[in-house]
């Protein structure tokens, strides 16, 4: 009896899988594109619905615009005319088992400035106030493990290219920056704190990450079996220089999110009709305390240059999360100018979080906390003013899944976090200015 029950269950499972994959086709290949002077490479081997099972909004010239709702269950499509909208209403009645897909061009987000893809399963459609140019489409969010029964997909960036000839040249990596164009240093001076006694600005504060990014996913029987991702050849360039004007015996503490233009980076590609997207952002927090024991007017801080190597992360059901930690090289160069003797102490940190959103898959973040402790001392008797400083750099990683994994792994593995690196306290070369 037990054997019969097990056999029946296996047969039922095979039948269910066979039903889900009816009409599926295999698709495989490689592609390279030149985007922003960088080579984007995609390799794929998938088994999923045929092309006629997708409604690709990117290819429909009859659509003027798309509005998206808050909970991803409805879209409003605006067509060029009432006649065209009526034709598509009939089509959508036949598309109630299709996937509705579209790229970031439709800007399908409401709550944030982040771009978003459209990957949904059509439920139904209606026309409000017919006749009308508008169609309301009811839909359910879909993930890649609902589309593909089996898939091996990988993406990477590496190398520089010319859009005209698309001939690879020397390596040119992705650059994500804060208050910089990744070329000329700080874009603007950033105000930190000001009152009648003290004025503090981040006069030369910026940071940028240059790197290569890679990602791969394996799906078997509609279930994720492996995820690998990370950044290669990470280089961080930046500056944390403060300009302060203060009255004697004044101190202040700050903790704020700096508002400045971010140099973000957006990656789009398609496999057949199915869109994929990776989006980077770089929010920055500044923390600090400043104490002035004399009247002060000075510019002080440090330029930074770090090489982090690679940060890699991989997951599978048996081994769970595994990571390869970097072996950083860290260099600071003191920056100091003043025209008078002063005594001051400062501790400040510019804390960037490099956040990569692999849309509908996961979000991977690296938070760097470079803290600088600076002491400025000087007098007319010594005929000089000196900046002495130390640094401490910490790096924390966080990954949160946005796609299902096997039931047995969800509670433990939906999130991964780790302190990846901590340099400890190290001195920065002293810099003195004669009076």
């Amino acid at each position: 009896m037990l054997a019969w029950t097990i056999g029946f269950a296996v047969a039922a499972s095979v039948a269910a899988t066979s039903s889900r994959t009816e009409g599926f086709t295999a698709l495989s290949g490689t592609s390279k594109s030149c985007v922003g002077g960088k080579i984007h490479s995609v390799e794929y081997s998938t088994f999923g619905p045929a092309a006629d099972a997708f409604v690709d909004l990117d290819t429909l010239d009859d659509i003027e615009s798309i509005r998206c709702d808050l909970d991803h269950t409805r879209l409003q499509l605006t067509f060029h005319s009432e006649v065209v909208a009526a034709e598509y209403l009939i089509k959508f009645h036949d598309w109630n088992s299709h996937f509705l897909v579209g790229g970031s061009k439709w800007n399908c987000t409401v709550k944030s400035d982040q771009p978003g893809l459209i990957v949904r399963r059509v439920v139904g459609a209606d026309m409000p106030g017919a006749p009308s140019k508008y169609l309301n489409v009811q839909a359910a969010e879909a993930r890649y493990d609902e589309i593909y029964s089996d898939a091996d997909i990988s993406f990477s960036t590496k190398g520089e290219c010319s859009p005209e000839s698309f001939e690879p040249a020397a390596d040119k990596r992705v650059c994500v920056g804060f208050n910089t164009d990744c070329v000329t240093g700080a874009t603007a001076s950033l105000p930190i704190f000001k009152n009648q006694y003290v004025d503090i600005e981040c006069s030369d504060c910026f940071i940028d990450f240059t790197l290569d990014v890679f990602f791969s996913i394996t799906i078997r029987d509609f279930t994720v079996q492996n995820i690998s991702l990370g950044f290669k050849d990470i280089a961080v360039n930046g500056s944390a220089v403060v300009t302060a004007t203060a009255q004697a015996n004044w101190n202040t503490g700050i903790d704020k999110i700096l508002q400045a233009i971010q140099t973000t980076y957006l990656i789009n590609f398609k496999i057949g009709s199915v869109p994929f997207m990776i989006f980077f952002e770089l929010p920055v927090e500044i923390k600090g305390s400043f104490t002035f024991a004399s009247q002060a007017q000075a510019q002080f801080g440090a330029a930074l240059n770090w090489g982090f190597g690679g940060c890699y992360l991989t997951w599978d059901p048996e081994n769970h999360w595994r990571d390869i930690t970097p072996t950083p090289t860290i260099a600071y160069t003191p920056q100091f100018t003043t025209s008078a003797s002063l005594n001051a102490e400062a501790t400040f940190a510019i804390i960037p979080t490099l956040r990569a959103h692999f849309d509908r898959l996961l979000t991977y973040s690296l938070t760097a906390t470079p803290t600088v402790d600076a002491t400025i001392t000087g007098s007319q008797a010594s005929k000089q003013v000196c900046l002495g400083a130390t640094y401490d750099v910490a790096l924390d990683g966080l990954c949160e899944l946005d796609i299902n994994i096997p039931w047995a792994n969800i509670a433990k593995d939906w999130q991964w976090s780790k302190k990846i690196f901590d340099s400890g306290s190290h001195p920065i070369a002293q810099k003195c200015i004669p009076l």
Side-chain angles (χ1 to χ4, degrees), residues 158-220:
K158 188 172 178 64
E160 185 179 5
C161 57
S162 168
E164 293 78 17
S165 60
F166 192 22
E167 294 179 356
D171 189 34
K172 182 178 182 180
R173 292 164 288 161
V174 172
C175 183
V176 185
F178 179 86
N179 199 35
T180 180
D181 59 4
C182 294
V183 178
T184 57
T187 303
S189 179
L190 307 175
I192 297 176
F193 182 84
K194 184 177 182 179
N195 64 16
Q196 58 182 323
Y197 304 107
V198 64
D199 184 358
I200 302 174
E201 291 192 356
C202 237
S203 52
D204 185 18
C205 291
F206 74 93
I207 196 158
D208 62 56
F209 288 73
T210 56
L211 49 88
D212 281 316
V213 58
F214 72 94
F215 175 81
S216 68
I217 185 170
T218 298
I219 297 172
R220 293 290 181 269

Side-chain angles (χ1 to χ4, degrees), residues 75-87:
L75 299 96
Q76 186 175 83
L77 310 184
T78 304
F79 292 88
H80 294 301
S81 69
E82 296 174 354
V83 173
V84 173
E87 292 174 353

Side-chain angles (χ1 to χ4, degrees), residues 111-394:
K111 292 184 177 181
S112 71
D113 295 329
Q114 298 175 4
L117 299 176
I118 299 172
V119 183
R120 306 187 187 184
R121 192 186 293 270
V122 177
V123 176
D126 64 79
M127 179 180 288
S132 172
K133 293 171 55 178
Y134 306 100
L135 281 188
N136 291 332
V137 179
Q138 292 81 46
E141 276 202 293
R143 293 293 188 269
Y144 299 112
D145 58 345
E146 300 174 59
I147 296 175
Y148 300 116
S149 67
D150 299 277
D152 294 285
I153 300 168
S154 64
F155 170 87
S156 64
T157 65
K158 188 172 178 64
E160 185 179 5
C161 57
S162 168
E164 293 78 17
S165 60
F166 192 22
E167 294 179 356
D171 189 34
K172 182 178 182 180
R173 292 164 288 161
V174 172
C175 183
V176 185
F178 179 86
N179 199 35
T180 180
D181 59 4
C182 294
V183 178
T184 57
T187 303
S189 179
L190 307 175
I192 297 176
F193 182 84
K194 184 177 182 179
N195 64 16
Q196 58 182 323
Y197 304 107
V198 64
D199 184 358
I200 302 174
E201 291 192 356
C202 237
S203 52
D204 185 18
C205 291
F206 74 93
I207 196 158
D208 62 56
F209 288 73
T210 56
L211 49 88
D212 281 316
V213 58
F214 72 94
F215 175 81
S216 68
I217 185 170
T218 298
I219 297 172
R220 293 290 181 269
D221 194 20
F222 297 100
T223 303
V224 175
Q225 295 298 325
N226 183 274
I227 297 173
S228 297
L229 69 149
F231 307 129
K232 298 180 179 179
D233 299 325
I234 305 169
V236 183
N237 181 51
S239 177
V241 176
V242 172
T243 297
T245 302
Q247 304 298 322
N249 301 316
W250 183 263
N251 63 77
T252 186
I254 53 171
D255 184 353
K256 64 188 297 186
I257 303 297
L258 291 178
Q259 300 297 324
I261 296 174
Q262 297 182 30
T263 304
T264 56
Y265 194 82
L266 177 66
I267 295 170
N268 286 298
F269 63 92
K270 279 190 170 184
I271 297 176
S273 297
V274 182
F276 292 79
M277 182 183 71
I278 305 171
F279 174 74
F280 293 86
E281 59 178 350
L282 191 64
V284 172
E285 180 183 11
I286 185 168
K287 292 183 177 182
S289 63
F290 302 85
T291 301
F292 303 96
S294 62
Q295 188 173 2
Q297 186 170 10
Q299 187 178 73
F300 58 93
L304 59 92
N305 191 282
W306 311 332
F308 274 103
C311 286
Y312 311 149
L313 193 59
T314 184
W315 176 89
D316 66 70
E318 287 76 31
N319 297 294
H320 308 284
W321 290 107
R322 292 174 292 165
D323 68 297
I324 297 177
T325 56
T327 54
T329 58
I330 299 173
Y332 276 89
T333 304
Q335 308 291 313
F336 182 41
T337 59
T338 186
S339 58
S341 63
L342 68 140
N343 290 279
E345 293 182 353
T347 298
F348 57 98
I350 295 177
I351 306 170
T353 298
L354 176 63
R355 191 173 293 144
H357 301 274
F358 299 78
D359 197 65
R360 298 176 186 274
L361 292 166
L362 55 85
T363 297
Y364 180 45
S365 302
L366 293 178
T367 300
T369 307
T371 302
V372 174
D373 288 300
T375 301
I376 302 172
T377 57
S379 66
Q380 291 293 340
S382 64
K383 299 187 183 302
Q384 65 177 1
V385 181
C386 293
L387 170 68
T390 62
Y391 73 83
D392 187 328
V393 178

